[in-house]
Amino acid sequence: MSMFCNQCEQAANGTGCNISGVCGKKPDVAALQDHLLYGLKSLALYADKLGRDAEIDRFTIEALFSTVTNVDFDPEDIAKLIQKCYQLKEKAKAASGAAISGPVADWKPAADLATMVAQGEQHGINTQHVNEDIRSTIEILMYGLKGMSAYMDHAMILGRSNDEVMAFFQKALAATTDANLGLMDFVGLCMECGKQNLTVMGLLDTAHNETYGAPVPTPVNLGTKAGKGILVTGHDLKMLEELLKQTEGKGINIYTHGEMLPAHGYPGLKKYPHLVGNFGGAWQDQAREFPNFPGAIIFNTNCIQRPADSYKDRLYTWGLVQWPGVTHINGWDFSEVINKALECPSLPENPGQEILTGFGHNAVLGVADKVIAAVKAGQIKHFFLVGGCDGAKSGRNYYTEFAEKAPQDTVILTLACGKYRFNKLEFGDIGGIPRLLDIGQCNDAYSAIQIAVALAGAFECGVNDLPLSMILSWYEQKAVVILLTLLSLGIKNIRLGPSLPAFITPNVLAFLVENFNIMPITTAEEDLKAILG
């Protein structure tokens, strides 16, 4: 059985994984995910005619998110999603009364797993369009939808949604089946996807701030405290909150990992004294770090890798992330995880370095007058947004070197797990303003945008005229939709690395360069010289 997947930065040989995914995805899982995406397009043909249906909209978000890199590796679970997709398609077909013909509209999955896999092999990426440039643009759109679904899933968990956004999901999925649409039609849909994602990130930002309070600058310990422990990795704050509630008074300390680090900045979460610190770094280091954490470990969103036997028996998944043979927690009862933590050995008392997080847009704009004054006084010459997804591929030491070599009169904004390349370094401050400001998770690109817009307003110029440069790293589909959001806002001169996406053809790249001056990173020295002159 063969496969083809090029949706993430680890695409084998820079073109695509065709034997087995570098992420650990097997060919049967790849085929099932392709099958599920085909089914979602079939569902969308009818859902787009139907209008809002809460069950269909929620399923669409969860199914899309399940196909994001490093989320669902369980073929049995994906097969269940495919069957549910068909049931909802039939529901939408009957309710809409729409008469639509064609292979996509008539899609029906097999009942058995093996045949379902075989069907999925007929609906891979390369079947989406015969024209490679249109196919490339459809891929960008699909990956944008996947990335946006992740942020919408978190917002929905906190009770937020948006009818216009949900309508766009169905419209865009249905559009990918329309043979009458051309290249610029899909370019327009990609730009609209970016615009809609700004709404979604705004929803999530509001949900986080209203539920847990606006983040405040907070020191986070990187060591361990004596006692039992649970390590939480992923992105979802609601899951962390529920775990904190259920572990109160049980003698268990809670640690964050990866993109959960910014949780420490939220007043509604940091109030729990047993949220004691952050253990480890970015997602790709889990195989090296998790054996050294003796307690229970739980994933609440994407970023899982094939677990080693040394910690698999104390590893749990929750939400949409799943791995065959790993215990999955359904719902909000974490007693099984808690009991495992109590059975495991205790962590030692080993205080570590402290780093700062919690510089969301409310915190930064709260001292905007000081920032603006420092710029006008010449104390701050330039801002760099250095962040995005981290990964294992070589070349990412560039981001460490860039941060280290940025002049002392510059400020570095950072977000997502890319910050682990340099967030333990000492950067000092400028007039009391830290030179390194950790804005938060990848979805907190919304905060970065709000900061940039506010600065542009203060200096009466456009964002592209600010002394601000974006040096971004990408790995998976959430990075794709954030890039689309930045482009939809007209932001130019973005430097992207460590390599360009395999799914972007030369002609599509030329379009991006011509219209947005996107450029690949080179070396830290050369890029700093080009930016600062």
Side-chain angles (χ1 to χ4, degrees), residues 491-515:
I491 294 175
K492 299 183 178 181
N493 308 316
I494 296 169
R495 284 173 164 79
L496 186 64
S499 58
L500 295 178
F503 50 82
I504 293 182
T505 61
N507 287 335
V508 172
L509 178 61
F511 175 88
L512 293 172
V513 171
E514 179 181 351
N515 289 274

Side-chain angles (χ1 to χ4, degrees), residues 212 216-219 244 263-275:
Y212 306 114
V216 294
T218 302
L244 286 166
H264 293 270
Y266 288 91
L269 298 173
K270 63 184 289 186
K271 69 181 182 181
Y272 293 93
H274 59 301
L275 178 63

Side-chain angles (χ1 to χ4, degrees), residues 407-429:
Q408 292 297 308
D409 56 4
T410 63
V411 170
I412 300 168
L413 308 173
T414 191
L415 50 81
C417 60
K419 61 173 161 270
Y420 282 107
R421 292 281 165 173
F422 47 81
N423 66 347
K424 298 179 184 67
L425 303 177
E426 178 55 55
F427 290 94
D429 65 271

